[in-house]
């Protein structure tokens, strides 16, 4: 048995709807099931999803206050008022700022931008920034990707006599800012058809309304924040992503071209991963380490040399950010394991003096990945007694809702159910830890702390075809609420499996079923090789892809998780390198079972003694609880009956067969009754016989082993046929007739020969079948 790393939540489909989709949309059943699992319950909805390019954007004026905001901005442009765009320092905020700057510059506005410093000002609008903006003569401020929580700051803006228009997408609080206008798809009472726009999506809607037509040239900016901010890629977000990626491939923006160059990405290779794993991390790195202004300048510049220099600077900052993240993560993991172990804490709150507040969100994500607990990572400023941080959550724990219950100790916070940012007094950290753990204990169960993988469908090997995989690409771009499809392949045999990579930490395998073979690769899964036995049936979860090499195209599975549902046999009988086994294979999950104290004594220096169980009779064997356990059978018991007793409580998940023996009984000369008859007659004729002096001569004469002669002598002695005195063996006159089987020595030898034959000198398959038979008799 091999437990999967995560819980597999396999989606189920209505077969009737699958067939309906196949017939009406000319798609394969696999693709039809994927559409259904993404909420497309009608043929028309599925058709719209597949043909996203034919969709249109919603009317921007359906957003509350849009007409009011457009009128005020147009008034400012007409009267040459100075306009300030107030953005945020992440990729969504930077792209939102760039969209709004581009639109207003196109309209001839006198416009500039301001992004607060993460470290000195924190998230969102602040009074000191508003003082500077007011002193600069700005009469209109437009926030992008921020502002919905700035109740006090908005009131202060009124005191400074400038108008504030808020555009945001973060969760609105119970009290809304008293701004000139608020454009937000989630406002209470909003009738806007789509609620899940990113901050840049809201800015794009305002640009649309201002320009009077869809600003398609701004989609290459809108797609960056939309994908980077992990909003659901459905409805308008899907449209922005799909069209935006197309425009990104054709970009004429000098800064984007330079950024793609340092990322090492070719235009034709651009997809959602280009943004998620190459562009966005670099844009985010700027605001994580310093002022985010260079990121905006990069997206807005038309100067090639400036763009090249900014792109290199940003790439260097990203490398620096990566090292900082690694260092803090290492400290944070040690903090958790030593101070607040996960088995005692449902929510992890980790704090560190002077940690870079710009990267704590990434560290929180890494801790969630390692410990699978809702996690808050805080940077402590002890001089000002302030803690700034970010939070990441797991399924089942709504961060925003639970943090909202702690508003009295959270003067500044905002975010979503799965992610949030906050600032609080460092003296309140322990109280926040206490409250959130108490709240989590009321809603989370032990099952919730096992990571989940959502699996779209069960797939057969016959369905893994180039056609199916190519059709699946019509579902792209992939992201939140439209993830890359994951499939489950159940109970297939592996025909080959090996470790690959410089450090042998990746897995390459071929699996087969119904005569169809499929290649598979599992990055970081090299250790699995030692946990899957030769003929085990494996189940695999992963993503289907096309491997193109040497002008050949083949389907392949990128494996993410593996399980084996049956018990497994691992054969270490021929590799009698006990030292290697206990140094390289043995884990703390295993128990070592021995039936002879002498075996333990001989290998004591190698054995993990705290894991060793010595069984010396059948009753001890019956008392063992090995159901579901991993056991190492170090040697063989005196008889097979002991093994049957060993498993009366249940079947183990794995058996590692080593079977060390002091001597090979099976290959001894096995005495037959004729052997005993001749030896008895020999003793009757020769009289007392000196075993010490003449045993070897007798063995040579008969072609026997000396051990065979010793064995027969012991049997005769046990049956009281002979006496043995200092090596001299003599027949007992008039001894009672007894059968050889009455001798315990004889019976033990026969049993030992039989058990060696069945458990040592058999093939792997025969050995596993032996245990299968034992399980049937035991349970």
């Amino acid at each position: 048995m091999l437990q999967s790393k995560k819980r597999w939540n396999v989606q189920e489909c209505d077969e009737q709807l699958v067939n309906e989709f196949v017939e009406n949309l000319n798609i394969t059943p696999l693709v039809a099931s994927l559409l259904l699992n993404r909420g497309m319950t009608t043929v028309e909805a599925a058709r719209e999803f597949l043909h996203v390019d034919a969709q249109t954007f919603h009317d921007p004026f359906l957003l509350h206050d849009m007409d009011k905001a457009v009128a005020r901005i147009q008034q400012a442009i007409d009267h040459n008022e100075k306009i300030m765009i107030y953005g945020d320092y992440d990729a969504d905020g930077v792209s939102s700022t760039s969209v709004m700057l581009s639109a207003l510059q196109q309209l001839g506005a006198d416009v500039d931008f301001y992004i607060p410093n993460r470290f000195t000002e924190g998230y969102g609008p602040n009074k000191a920034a508003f003082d500077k903006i007011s002193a600069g003569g700005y009469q209109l401020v437009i926030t992008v990707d921020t502002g919905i929580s700035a109740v006090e700051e908005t009131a202060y803006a009124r005191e400074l006599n400038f108008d504030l228009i808020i555009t945001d997408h973060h969760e609105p609080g119970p009290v809304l800012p008293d701004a000139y206008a608020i454009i937000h798809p989630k406002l209470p009472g909003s009738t806007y058809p789509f609620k899940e726009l990113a901050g840049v999506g809201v800015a794009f809607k305002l640009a649309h309304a201002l320009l009077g037509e869809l600003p398609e040239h701004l989609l290459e900016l809108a797609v960056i924040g939309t994908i980077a901010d992990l909003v659901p890629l459905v409805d308008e977000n899907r449209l922005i992503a799909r069209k935006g990626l197309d425009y990104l491939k054709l970009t004429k923006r000098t800064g984007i071209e330079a950024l793609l160059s340092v990322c090492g990405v070719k235009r034709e290779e651009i997809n959602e991963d280009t943004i998620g794993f190459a562009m966005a991390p670099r844009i985010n790195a700027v605001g994580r380490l310093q002022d985010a202004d260079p990121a905006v300048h990069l997206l807005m510049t038309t100067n090639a040399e400036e763009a090249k220099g900014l792109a290199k600077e940003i790439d260097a900052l990203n490398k620096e950010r990566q090292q900082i993240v690694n260092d803090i993560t290492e400290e944070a993991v040690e903090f958790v394991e030593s101070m607040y172990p996960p088995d005692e804490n449902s929510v992890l709150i980790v704090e560190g003096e002077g940690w870079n507040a710009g990267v704590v969100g990434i560290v929180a994500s890494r801790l969630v990945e390692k410990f699978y607990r809702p996690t808050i990572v805080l940077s402590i400023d002890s001089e000002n007694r302030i803690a700034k941080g970010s939070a990441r959550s797991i399924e089942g724990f709504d961060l925003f809702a639970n943090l909202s219950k702690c508003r009295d100790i959270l003067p500044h916070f905002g975010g979503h159910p799965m992610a949030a940012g906050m600032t609080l007094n460092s003296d309140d950290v322990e109280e926040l830890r206490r409250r959130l753990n108490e709240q989590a204990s009321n809603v989370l169960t032990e099952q919730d702390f096992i990571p989940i993988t959502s699996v779209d469908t069960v797939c057969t090997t016959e369905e893994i075809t180039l056609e199916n995989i190519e059709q699946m690409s019509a579902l792209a771009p992939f992201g939140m609420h439209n993830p890359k499809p994951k499939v489950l392949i159940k109970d297939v045999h592996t025909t080959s499996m090996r470790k690959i990579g410089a450090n042998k930490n990746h897995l390459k395998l071929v699996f087969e079923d119904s005569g169809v073979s499929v290649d598979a690769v599992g990055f970081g899964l090299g250790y699995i090789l030692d946990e899957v036995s030769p003929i085990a049936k494996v189940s695999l979860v992963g993503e289907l892809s096309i491997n193109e090499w040497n002008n050949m195209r083949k389907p392949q599975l990128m494996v993410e998780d593996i399980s084996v549902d049956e018990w497994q046999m691992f054969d270490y009988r021929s590799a009698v390198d006990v030292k290697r086994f206990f140094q390289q294979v043995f884990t703390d999950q295993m128990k070592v079972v021995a039936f002879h104290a002498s075996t333990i004594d001989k290998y004591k220096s190698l054995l993990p003694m705290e894991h060793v169980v010595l069984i010396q009779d059948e009753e001890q064997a019956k008392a063992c609880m090995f159901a579901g356990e991993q056991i190492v059978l170090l040697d063989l018991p005196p008889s097979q009956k002991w093994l049957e007793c060993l498993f009366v409580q249940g079947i183990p998940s794995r058996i590692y067969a080593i079977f060390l023996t002091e001597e090979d009984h099976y290959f001894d000369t096995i005495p037959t009754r004729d052997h005993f008859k001749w030896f008895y007659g020999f003793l009757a004729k020769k009289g007392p016989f000196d075993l010490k002096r003449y045993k070897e001569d007798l063995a040579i004469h008969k072609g026997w082993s000396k051990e065979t002669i010793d064995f027969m002598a012991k049997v005769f002695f046990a049956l009281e046929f002979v006496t043995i005195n200092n090596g001299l063996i003599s027949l007992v006159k008039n001894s009672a007739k007894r059968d050889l089987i009455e001798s315990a020595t004889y019976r033990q030898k026969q049993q030992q020969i039989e058990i060696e034959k069945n458990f040592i000198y058999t093939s792997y398959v025969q050995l596993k079948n032996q245990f299968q038979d034992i399980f049937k008799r035991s349970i």
Side-chain angles (χ1 to χ4, degrees):
M1 186 171 287
L2 173 63
Q3 188 66 45
S4 59
K5 293 183 298 181
K6 298 182 179 181
R7 287 180 285 156
W8 297 349
N9 180 23
V10 183
Q11 307 294 312
E12 295 184 359
C13 287
D14 184 323
E15 286 301 319
Q16 185 176 341
L17 280 175
V18 168
N19 294 332
E20 188 177 338
F21 278 24
V22 169
E23 183 178 340
N24 287 277
L25 298 172
N26 193 29
I27 56 177
T28 65
L30 178 60
V31 174
S33 64
L34 295 176
L35 287 165
L36 284 165
N37 290 338
R38 280 152 177 72
M40 312 301 141
T41 55
T42 66
V43 170
E44 190 53 41
R47 182 178 285 111
E48 287 183 7
F49 189 85
L50 289 172
H51 303 288
V52 61
D53 295 332
Q55 294 180 38
T56 57
F57 285 90
H58 302 308
D59 182 352
F61 286 96
L62 293 175
L63 282 160
H64 178 73
D65 275 357
M66 182 63 83
D67 52 349
K68 188 177 180 182
V70 168
R72 178 66 185 88
I73 294 170
Q74 192 59 57
Q75 176 188 329
I77 295 172
D78 292 342
H79 292 83
N80 203 31
E81 295 179 50
K82 296 177 72 175
I83 303 174
M84 179 64 76
I85 309 302
Y86 194 106
D88 188 26
Y89 36 64
D90 66 2
D92 190 13
V94 166
S95 56
S96 300
T97 303
S98 301
V99 163
M100 195 51 53
L101 277 171
S102 298
L104 291 176
Q105 286 176 355
Q106 186 175 337
L107 291 169
D110 181 0
V111 62
D112 202 352
F113 75 94
Y114 185 95
I115 295 180
N117 183 288
R118 184 192 293 261
F119 307 100
T120 59
E121 298 174 80
Y123 171 78
N126 65 83
K127 293 179 181 179
F130 279 0
D131 283 335
K132 294 178 188 176
I133 291 169
S134 178
Y138 291 89
Q139 291 91 47
L140 176 62
V141 175
I142 306 170
T143 73
V144 288
D145 190 35
T146 189
I148 196 63
S149 300
V151 177
E152 290 185 19
E153 292 78 7
T154 301
Y156 189 64
R158 284 189 174 278
E159 294 177 21
L160 295 174
N161 292 318
F162 64 76
D163 289 330
L164 181 66
I165 294 173
I166 292 174
T167 77
D168 200 355
H169 73 122
H170 295 93
E171 296 293 326
V175 179
L176 296 177
D178 186 17
Y180 183 89
I182 299 178
I183 301 174
H184 194 304
K186 290 185 179 178
L187 285 182
S190 172
T191 58
Y192 191 71
F194 184 58
K195 311 294 185 186
E196 302 297 334
L197 289 167
V200 73
V202 181
F204 183 79
K205 302 305 294 188
L206 178 54
H208 184 180
L210 283 167
L211 295 170
E213 60 182 8
L214 184 71
E216 294 204 2
H217 62 292
L218 297 181
L219 283 167
E220 61 184 336
L221 294 172
V223 67
I224 295 173
T226 297
I227 290 177
D229 215 51
L230 302 180
V231 291
L233 289 191
V234 296
D235 203 280
E236 272 193 312
N237 287 340
R238 177 167 167 78
L239 193 53
I240 290 171
R242 184 68 165 261
K243 287 180 174 289
L245 287 171
D246 289 339
Y247 276 96
L248 204 57
K249 291 177 182 178
L250 303 171
T251 186
K252 293 290 190 280
R253 283 189 177 258
T254 310
I256 291 180
E257 288 179 321
L259 183 58
L260 290 171
S261 178
V262 298
C263 294
V265 176
K266 298 176 182 177
R267 286 174 180 264
E268 63 270 18
E269 296 173 349
I270 290 173
N271 60 23
E272 62 271 26
D273 289 341
T274 304
I275 295 173
F277 299 105
M279 297 176 70
R282 287 169 171 81
I283 293 172
N284 281 326
V286 186
R288 293 186 190 281
L289 300 186
Q290 58 171 47
D291 285 332
D293 292 16
V296 177
H297 291 312
L298 176 66
L299 295 182
M300 296 298 296
T301 186
T302 57
N303 183 291
E305 284 304 312
E306 181 187 21
K308 188 176 179 181
L310 285 168
K312 286 184 177 179
E313 176 189 342
I314 287 172
D315 189 52
L317 285 170
N318 188 51
K319 290 183 173 71
E320 182 183 346
R321 185 270 308 168
Q322 289 171 330
Q323 186 57 53
I324 292 171
V325 167
N326 291 340
D327 293 342
I328 296 177
T329 299
E330 191 174 322
E331 291 181 45
V333 168
E334 184 179 347
F335 182 95
V336 169
E337 293 177 340
S338 61
M339 299 288 292
Y340 298 97
D343 56 353
E344 299 174 13
N345 290 268
S346 299
V347 177
L348 303 179
I349 299 183
V350 185
E351 66 263 28
E353 183 79 29
W355 282 352
N356 186 308
V359 302
V360 291
I362 303 174
V363 177
S365 294
R366 290 197 179 180
L367 295 185
V368 170
E369 186 178 333
K370 181 174 180 62
F371 299 114
Y372 205 67
R373 297 285 191 280
T375 300
I376 300 175
V377 180
L378 298 167
S379 174
I380 303 296
D381 177 354
S382 56
E383 184 177 338
N384 296 308
R385 294 169 61 195
I386 291 175
K388 292 182 180 179
S390 291
R392 299 292 184 269
S393 197
I394 64 174
E395 292 291 333
F397 191 78
D398 186 325
L399 266 179
F400 186 82
N402 280 282
L403 288 171
S404 295
K405 298 175 183 177
C406 305
R407 287 181 180 274
D408 58 311
I409 58 173
L410 290 174
H412 298 285
F413 88 96
H416 310 286
M418 297 299 287
M422 70 207 67
T423 301
L424 68 156
N425 190 305
S426 58
D427 295 338
D428 292 328
V429 171
E430 191 57 43
E431 175 63 11
L432 181 64
R433 179 181 285 116
R434 185 194 66 78
R435 290 192 195 180
L436 289 180
N437 268 288
E438 183 177 322
Q439 290 166 211
S441 66
N442 293 329
V443 296
L444 296 176
T445 66
E446 284 302 313
Q447 191 77 355
D448 291 318
F449 296 127
I450 303 173
I452 300 175
T453 289
S454 183
V455 179
D456 288 274
T457 187
V458 178
C459 181
T460 64
T461 53
E462 293 100 317
E463 291 178 293
I464 304 176
T465 64
L466 291 174
E467 180 191 7
N468 261 327
I469 298 171
E470 286 166 346
Q471 278 201 18
M472 283 166 52
S473 66
L475 277 63
F478 299 110
M480 294 294 289
H481 291 206
N482 182 34
K484 288 185 178 179
K486 286 185 174 60
V487 299
L488 166 62
I489 293 95
K490 294 185 68 174
D491 298 332
V492 292
H493 285 292
T494 59
T495 57
S496 72
M497 189 181 298
R498 59 190 172 91
K499 295 180 182 180
I500 59 172
N503 299 316
K504 302 298 181 185
N505 56 335
H506 308 308
L507 190 67
K508 170 76 173 176
L509 66 146
V510 178
F511 60 89
E512 182 182 52
D513 192 40
S514 302
V516 179
S517 295
V518 180
D519 293 345
V521 176
F523 290 108
L525 297 180
Y527 68 93
I528 292 289
L529 182 66
D530 299 321
E531 300 195 35
V532 177
S533 56
I535 61 172
K537 287 185 175 181
V538 301
S539 293
L540 309 161
V541 164
E543 297 175 2
L544 295 174
S545 64
I546 296 176
N547 181 23
E548 299 190 33
W549 182 80
N550 205 19
N551 295 321
M552 292 186 63
R553 303 174 79 237
K554 289 177 63 178
Q556 72 175 357
L557 179 73
M558 306 306 295
V559 182
E560 296 183 8
D561 209 353
I562 299 179
S563 75
V564 178
D565 292 333
E566 60 188 4
W567 77 275
Q568 294 192 86
M569 165 67 66
F570 294 86
D571 188 356
Y572 285 89
R573 295 171 300 170
S574 58
V576 194
D577 183 356
V578 186
K579 183 177 182 180
R580 189 189 72 83
F581 176 85
F582 284 105
Q583 287 181 345
Q584 299 180 19
V585 180
F586 182 83
T587 70
D588 287 342
Q589 283 73 49
M590 299 178 191
K591 293 181 180 177
V592 181
V593 177
F595 298 97
H596 303 281
S598 58
T599 310
I600 296 174
D601 290 339
K602 183 175 181 179
Y603 295 97
K604 193 170 186 178
S605 62
L606 300 176
L607 297 177
M609 294 305 296
E610 67 275 17
H611 295 274
V612 175
V613 178
L614 176 62
I615 296 173
Q616 296 183 297
D617 57 48
E618 293 181 9
E619 290 306 312
Q620 272 187 296
K622 288 179 182 178
C624 291
M625 297 285 290
F626 290 140
E629 299 280 355
Q630 301 180 28
I631 65 169
V632 179
L633 294 177
L634 191 64
D635 55 15
L636 279 171
S639 77
Q640 191 165 304
K641 181 65 177 174
W642 287 39
L643 288 176
E644 294 174 10
C645 294
L646 195 64
F647 303 119
V648 294
Q649 305 277 9
I651 298 173
S653 63
R654 301 183 193 176
I655 293 177
Y656 293 84
I658 296 181
F659 296 151
L660 299 169
T661 57
E662 292 294 323
E663 53 183 313
D664 289 331
H665 297 269
Y666 183 64
F667 286 113
D668 288 348
T669 302
I670 304 173
T672 65
R673 290 184 179 273
D674 286 340
H675 287 78
F676 283 101
K677 184 178 179 182
W678 185 91
F679 190 42
Y680 189 90
F682 171 80
L683 293 176
K685 183 187 292 186
K686 295 293 183 180
F689 180 75
D690 192 338
L691 289 172
K692 286 184 177 181
R693 291 181 64 185
Y694 301 116
K695 175 172 57 177
E696 186 171 355
D697 294 338
L698 179 61
I700 293 171
H701 173 70
K702 293 297 294 180
W704 296 344
S705 67
K706 290 183 289 183
E707 289 76 17
T708 298
I709 296 172
D710 284 338
F711 173 67
M712 290 191 293
K714 288 178 184 177
V715 171
F716 282 168
F717 182 78
L719 294 173
E720 297 178 344
F721 290 170
V722 300
T723 60
I724 301 176
N725 185 15
N726 198 26
L728 195 66
I729 183 170
S730 306
L731 285 179
V732 175
K733 293 180 180 180
N734 302 320
S735 58
K737 286 188 175 182
R738 300 176 66 183
D739 196 282
L740 294 173
I741 200 69
E742 295 181 52
S743 164
T745 303
Y746 183 83
R747 291 198 306 273
Q748 184 178 353
K749 181 74 170 181
Q750 295 299 313
Q751 290 171 352
Q752 203 68 42
I753 291 170
E754 184 69 15
I755 200 170
E756 285 184 12
K757 181 182 75 172
N758 291 338
F759 291 90
I760 295 181
Y761 306 108
T762 54
S763 69
Y764 174 87
V765 174
Q766 290 170 328
L767 179 63
K768 186 166 186 183
N769 288 338
Q770 285 287 346
F771 277 100
Q772 290 280 70
D773 292 340
I774 285 175
F775 295 156
K776 290 176 184 176
R777 292 194 295 270
S778 300
I779 299 172

